[in-house]
């Protein structure tokens, strides 16, 4: 065992120190994440952009991402959604959870044709600033899960 540790170039003491350092690094990040989930206020530019894009939504919860972007969790028309913005208020994307029944008929037909017997376990309508809107769909088929993307026309990408 000692020879193996010597070959690998680390000792139990060094490995223990790495675990301690990793734990110290994770604890503050977890504490910040916890604080974000309890009502951090987004910058004014982000809040204003949200209000312009999502008028009438009054109970959003803000979170700061590791990338520096901000996103708001909110409900609109009884659907749960997330809207992402850059720190200067540029809209990046909106992700809205939908059920299989809320997918367009073209998408459901394409899924039935390409994946007979598959069931939809989760679906998200994604609108982004840089590409055409699409659906991200998790399918269950034969005990396996498969993620696909589909547009309104029913074109599927794996």
């Amino acid at each position: 065992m000692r020879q193996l540790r010597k070959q690998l170039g680390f000792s139990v003491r060094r490995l223990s120190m790495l675990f301690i350092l990793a734990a110290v690094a994770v604890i503050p990040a977890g504490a910040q994440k916890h604080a974000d989930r309890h009502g951090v206020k987004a910058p004014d530019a982000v809040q204003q952009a949200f209000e312009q894009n999502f008028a009438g939504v009054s109970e959003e919860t803000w979170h700061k991402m590791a990338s520096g972007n901000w996103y708001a969790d909110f409900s609109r028309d009884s659907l749960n959604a997330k809207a992402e913005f850059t720190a200067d208020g540029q809209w990046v994307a909106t992700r809205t959870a939908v059920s299989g029944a809320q997918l367009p008929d073209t998408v459901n037909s394409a899924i039935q044709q390409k994946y007979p017997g598959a069931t939809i376990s989760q679906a998200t309508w994604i609108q982004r600033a840089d590409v055409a809107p699409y659906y991200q769909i998790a399918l269950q088929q034969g005990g396996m899960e498969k993620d696909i993307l589909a547009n309104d026309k029913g074109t599927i990408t794996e």
Side-chain angles (χ1 to χ4, degrees):
M1 181 70 156
R2 194 174 292 167
Q3 187 172 4
L4 178 62
R5 282 187 293 198
K6 194 173 186 179
Q7 286 176 343
L8 294 175
F10 66 88
S11 67
V12 172
R13 193 176 304 160
R14 189 179 282 171
L15 189 58
S16 297
M17 190 59 123
L18 287 173
F19 283 126
I20 291 169
L21 289 173
V24 168
V26 170
I27 291 169
Q32 179 62 37
K33 186 186 254 187
H34 184 71
D36 288 347
R37 293 195 176 174
H38 290 89
V40 167
K41 185 178 184 308
D44 289 340
V46 174
Q47 293 242 342
Q48 289 170 0
F50 179 82
E51 290 168 9
Q52 287 174 350
N53 287 296
F54 302 97
V57 173
S58 61
E59 293 192 26
E60 73 274 6
T61 303
W62 288 100
H63 309 273
K64 187 171 183 183
M65 302 169 70
S67 66
N69 286 355
W70 289 83
Y71 74 89
D73 282 321
F74 62 99
S75 293
R76 180 171 65 173
D77 302 327
S78 300
L79 298 174
N80 293 326
K82 293 180 186 293
E84 181 181 346
F85 295 87
T86 62
D88 63 355
Q90 296 294 311
W91 173 76
V92 176
T94 303
R95 295 166 180 83
T96 307
V98 295
S99 69
Q102 293 168 314
L103 293 171
D105 291 339
T106 52
V107 173
N108 276 319
S109 295
I111 290 170
Q112 289 173 7
Q113 184 176 7
K114 191 164 184 173
Y115 307 100
T119 58
I120 297 169
S121 59
Q122 186 176 15
T124 305
W125 172 238
I126 301 174
Q127 298 165 288
R128 293 179 22 182
D130 58 345
V131 296
Y134 60 94
Y135 294 92
Q136 182 178 14
I137 304 164
L139 299 175
Q140 292 284 332
Q141 185 178 33
M144 303 283 289
E145 187 162 310
K146 179 179 212 55
D147 290 330
I148 62 168
L149 304 176
N151 63 18
D152 276 340
K153 296 176 184 173
T155 302
I156 294 175
T157 305
E158 295 183 12

